[in-house]
Amino acid sequence: MAPRPIFCATHPRAISTAFERVFMTRRDTLQCVHEPFGDAFYYGPEFMSERFADDVAAREASGLSNETYRDIVEYIANEGQKEVRTLLSGRPGKRVFIKDMAYYLMPPDGKRTGIAPSLGGGIEAGNPTVLPLDILKKFHFTFLIRHPRRSIPSYWRCIIPPLSEITGFDHFMPNEAGYEELVRLFDLLVNSGLVDRDQLTVIDADDMLDNPERTIREFCRRTDIDFRPEMLEWTEDDKRHARQHFAKWNGFHEDAINSYALRARPHAQKESTVESENKEWRDKYGAEAQKIIRATVDANIPHYEYLKQFCIGT
């Protein structure tokens, strides 16, 4: 039997696309699936986000307006089945690697959750997601986080010009921060035994940026991936593959697409204070934006700190 697909659950602007690019270099052994559940969350007939709720034209223009949660689950399963057939034929198979946002799996703002209608509907006690436990248990879950003081301002930059003209996200929604949903998913998986409490794989993006090789090597050890140092260096072919892979979320991934390596940053992360952060955000985005960013950062710091205690090396 092929190993379970790896599912890296995260929140927006966690350096997750650069992280994913590391594993996209291993096209010999891994089949990456990039943020599949966003299709159903934003655009499909079971959409849960309010972002395009009143914009039928935008949902139809996405080309994803018919995508249900079942369609996505079946697509991932089919990718896995291809590899099972490959293994049975005696040729080396590939393992599925998924990177996705936890908030795509549940209604925003803590609203009551039921299983997606396309997956049978109904209520599963204690499960905050639209995926039944029988589906969740098929994945090997890992987690990637970043401090809100860095992720939230980065997300704000994507919803204002010039990037908003590419992303199509033209206003800020605090419930897309994604931390609360990541905690709810994490707790569900741990408390239900779908993730071994003694074998948690949680990475802080800043730890990764400080020491990429050590962090990726340890992630690979815990997920049974053969680590190679060249995974951290990206060729022109890797870049072309990444651009095609990330096309549906244009504007969000340009920095990661145009990078050629995941290297340790040359200097330690600059220390900041609430005052220095407020000034930076006010200077960049204006006074009203600064207030919204500050409130969103502060609301999510407890969720980040909760997950931080489980990080590799903490």
Side-chain angles (χ1 to χ4, degrees):
M1 180 179 294
R4 287 182 298 165
I6 298 165
F7 193 130
C8 179
T10 187
H11 57 79
R13 315 310 289 174
I15 318 291
S16 62
T17 307
F19 177 77
E20 186 180 2
R21 283 205 65 183
V22 169
F23 301 97
M24 289 172 66
T25 65
R26 297 303 306 275
R27 296 187 290 282
D28 57 330
T29 59
L30 296 174
Q31 175 64 42
C32 288
V33 180
H34 177 68
E35 299 187 18
F37 289 102
D39 300 356
F41 178 80
Y42 281 113
Y43 303 114
E46 299 165 316
F47 74 87
M48 295 185 288
S49 173
E50 296 177 356
R51 181 169 287 282
F52 303 109
D54 299 321
D55 193 342
V56 176
R59 297 202 308 275
E60 291 182 349
S62 72
L64 302 167
S65 59
N66 293 319
E67 287 291 297
T68 67
Y69 279 91
R70 174 174 288 278
D71 290 331
I72 295 163
V73 168
E74 289 181 348
Y75 170 77
I76 294 169
N78 286 338
E79 291 296 297
Q81 285 302 312
K82 288 179 189 176
E83 306 316 329
V84 170
R85 289 194 292 271
T86 302
L87 287 167
L88 291 175
S89 73
R91 291 177 283 128
K94 295 182 183 180
R95 188 177 183 187
V96 176
F97 182 101
I98 303 156
K99 189 270 288 188
D100 217 342
M101 304 298 158
Y103 80 85
Y104 294 164
L105 301 181
M106 58 193 82
D109 303 316
K111 294 176 183 174
R112 183 176 175 82
T113 303
I115 302 303
S118 62
L119 292 170
I123 301 292
E124 199 168 63
N127 182 358
T129 81
V130 297
L131 304 183
L133 291 176
D134 279 349
I135 289 176
L136 292 172
K137 72 181 182 183
K138 297 179 184 297
F139 301 110
H140 180 148
F141 277 95
T142 63
F143 308 88
L144 177 64
I145 61 173
R146 189 186 188 194
H147 200 289
R149 72 164 65 98
R150 300 189 179 96
S151 67
I152 302 300
S154 177
Y155 197 70
W156 185 276
R157 187 171 67 92
C158 294
I159 57 89
I160 61 173
L163 283 180
S164 61
E165 297 167 5
I166 304 171
T167 64
F169 284 40
D170 61 4
H171 60 284
F172 183 74
M173 297 177 63
N175 62 18
E176 290 177 339
Y179 289 87
E180 179 181 357
E181 292 82 4
L182 189 57
V183 166
R184 294 174 72 196
L185 176 64
F186 177 89
D187 284 346
L188 166 71
L189 297 171
V190 171
N191 294 335
S192 63
L194 298 186
V195 169
D196 186 343
R197 190 181 296 272
D198 297 323
Q199 298 293 326
L200 296 172
T201 304
V202 186
I203 289 177
D204 189 307
D206 282 304
D207 294 337
M208 177 177 69
L209 293 176
D210 287 336
N211 197 322
E213 180 167 342
R214 182 179 65 192
T215 304
I216 298 298
R217 187 184 290 274
E218 179 61 15
F219 181 92
C220 288
R221 186 187 71 80
R222 293 174 180 229
T223 53
D224 199 25
I225 295 173
D226 175 31
F227 173 78
R228 297 178 184 176
E230 54 266 32
M231 292 164 66
L232 305 179
E233 301 283 338
W234 308 327
T235 66
E236 280 291 342
D237 189 48
D238 292 331
K239 182 176 178 179
R240 284 191 294 270
H241 181 72
R243 184 168 292 282
Q244 181 180 22
H245 206 58
F246 302 147
K248 70 177 178 179
W249 300 115
N250 279 337
F252 287 103
H253 306 315
E254 297 309 304
D255 290 345
I257 289 172
N258 292 322
S259 298
Y260 285 94
L262 182 62
R263 298 192 181 107
R265 52 190 167 202
H267 306 291
Q269 186 78 22
K270 183 176 68 174
E271 293 294 327
S272 64
T273 64
V274 170
E275 291 75 17
S276 67
E277 291 165 1
N278 287 343
K279 182 179 185 305
E280 178 185 351
W281 303 336
R282 187 166 52 248
D283 291 347
K284 284 184 177 179
Y285 306 118
E288 285 305 309
Q290 178 270 316
K291 292 177 184 177
I292 298 170
I293 293 170
R294 176 85 267 158
T296 309
V297 169
D298 289 349
N300 286 286
I301 285 176
H303 303 309
Y304 164 80
E305 291 180 341
Y306 172 72
L307 293 170
K308 177 67 175 176
Q309 67 182 314
F310 301 107
C311 280
I312 292 172
T314 299

